[in-house]
Amino acid sequence: MDSQIIIQYIIVLLSLVLLEGLLSADNAIVLAVMVRHLPPKEQKHALMYGLAGALIFRIIAIFLITILAQYWEIQVLGGLYLLYMAGAHIKEFFDKRKEENGTDEIAEPKKQSGFWATVIKVELTDIAFAIDSILAAVAIAITLPHISETSIGGINLGQFSVMVIGGFIGVVIMRYAANIFIKVLETKPGLEIAAFLIVGWVGIKLFVIAAAHEKLGLIPHEFPHSTLWTVIFWVVLLGLLVWGVLVSKRFENK
């Protein structure tokens, strides 16, 4: 194999590892928030199922990438689910704070989701995040030259392999990051709000991808993968995290 092709594959793989690492950060925060109400032992099991699902759904998404890319409705549905989940959990968070402060005496305590209900929510979230992750990964990997006549799910075997390896490494990063965030959330409750605002923000990102779809053409097709949108997305995401830390300090002082 040509050395230049090998170098291209190595560069793209490193880029995908970096991309998956960044995308895994918001995934890990969300997983941590969703399982933190469970006992420590069940938290580990729920995370294990969630992380296994994250890898499986990423691989499935690569197989189905031609379908995911063809129908903008799939991206919209993923975005709507993430926005719904973000809104529901933020409301639940503030209701809980009211109960703790004694300002909501009428409301009955809300029952937390059980183990399997939590696992199902985690897996549904994994599906939405997998769509986001793979659409971003394909935009990078598709530039690689073909190294085989074999195609899987409409993707050349070489490109497919790079995306699977990048996705696997991203899930490994998520595994350790989620445990760290669970501990952080114990002392920084405001980050729970920020985490679900980030979920909503990723939902909006899926809307942007859908809006740029060639069948809609509401915005330029290249915009979701442009430097401008990348900068906007990460500035807002990091801004939400900083805001979450500041809000946590306010809660700690109460």
Side-chain angles (χ1 to χ4, degrees):
M1 187 184 297
D2 194 312
S3 60
Q4 286 187 332
I5 293 179
I6 294 175
I7 292 173
Q8 286 183 60
Y9 267 79
I10 292 174
I11 292 174
V12 168
L13 179 58
L14 292 175
S15 300
L16 278 177
V17 169
L18 177 61
L19 173 68
E20 287 290 346
L22 292 171
L23 292 174
S24 294
D26 53 28
N27 292 29
I29 294 174
V30 175
L31 288 179
V33 173
M34 295 183 76
V35 306
R36 68 186 290 259
H37 67 278
L38 297 172
K41 188 175 180 180
E42 290 189 354
Q43 283 180 4
K44 293 181 180 179
H45 290 307
L47 280 177
M48 180 184 69
Y49 285 120
L51 295 169
L55 179 59
I56 291 170
F57 289 131
R58 275 166 170 72
I59 294 175
I60 291 174
I62 298 174
F63 276 104
L64 300 178
I65 189 60
T66 53
I67 295 176
L68 294 176
Q70 184 178 359
Y71 296 102
W72 58 267
E73 293 89 347
I74 296 176
Q75 296 147 32
V76 170
L77 286 174
L80 286 173
Y81 173 74
L82 291 179
L83 284 175
Y84 165 77
M85 189 180 68
H89 280 83
I90 290 172
K91 181 179 183 300
E92 182 180 327
F93 176 85
F94 282 109
D95 287 346
K96 184 178 178 182
R97 297 297 301 185
K98 287 180 181 179
E99 291 170 11
E100 291 174 353
N101 295 331
T103 58
D104 193 7
E105 298 176 0
I106 299 176
E108 295 182 3
K110 292 180 176 61
K111 185 179 179 181
Q112 294 281 6
S113 300
F115 176 77
W116 287 111
T118 299
V119 170
I120 291 173
K121 289 181 181 179
V122 168
E123 299 299 354
L124 288 173
T125 306
D126 280 337
I127 293 173
F129 275 121
I131 295 172
D132 173 46
S133 174
I134 294 307
L135 287 173
V138 167
I140 296 177
I142 204 71
T143 61
L144 287 169
H146 292 189
I147 60 172
S148 170
E149 297 297 325
T150 305
S151 294
I152 302 177
I155 303 292
N156 181 261
L157 179 61
Q159 300 168 343
F160 182 90
S161 301
V162 167
M163 285 189 283
V164 170
I165 294 171
F168 176 77
I169 294 174
V171 170
V172 172
I173 294 172
M174 199 192 312
R175 161 71 175 81
Y176 292 100
N179 284 326
I180 293 172
F181 285 126
I182 286 176
K183 295 177 181 178
V184 172
L185 287 169
E186 295 298 326
T187 56
K188 301 290 183 184
L191 283 178
E192 185 169 339
I193 308 173
F196 282 105
L197 286 174
I198 289 172
V199 174
W201 182 230
V202 174
I204 292 174
K205 181 182 178 183
L206 288 176
F207 287 144
V208 171
I209 294 174
H213 196 281
E214 56 187 14
K215 290 184 179 179
L216 286 181
L218 299 178
I219 58 177
H221 182 67
E222 302 78 15
F223 181 71
H225 308 295
S226 66
T227 301
L228 175 60
W229 171 246
T230 301
V231 171
I232 291 172
F233 179 78
W234 284 104
V235 166
V236 172
L237 189 148
L238 293 174
L240 290 172
L241 283 177
V242 172
W243 178 82
V245 172
L246 296 176
V247 170
S248 291
K249 290 181 179 179
R250 192 183 71 180
F251 286 145
E252 291 168 11
N253 294 331
K254 286 186 177 182

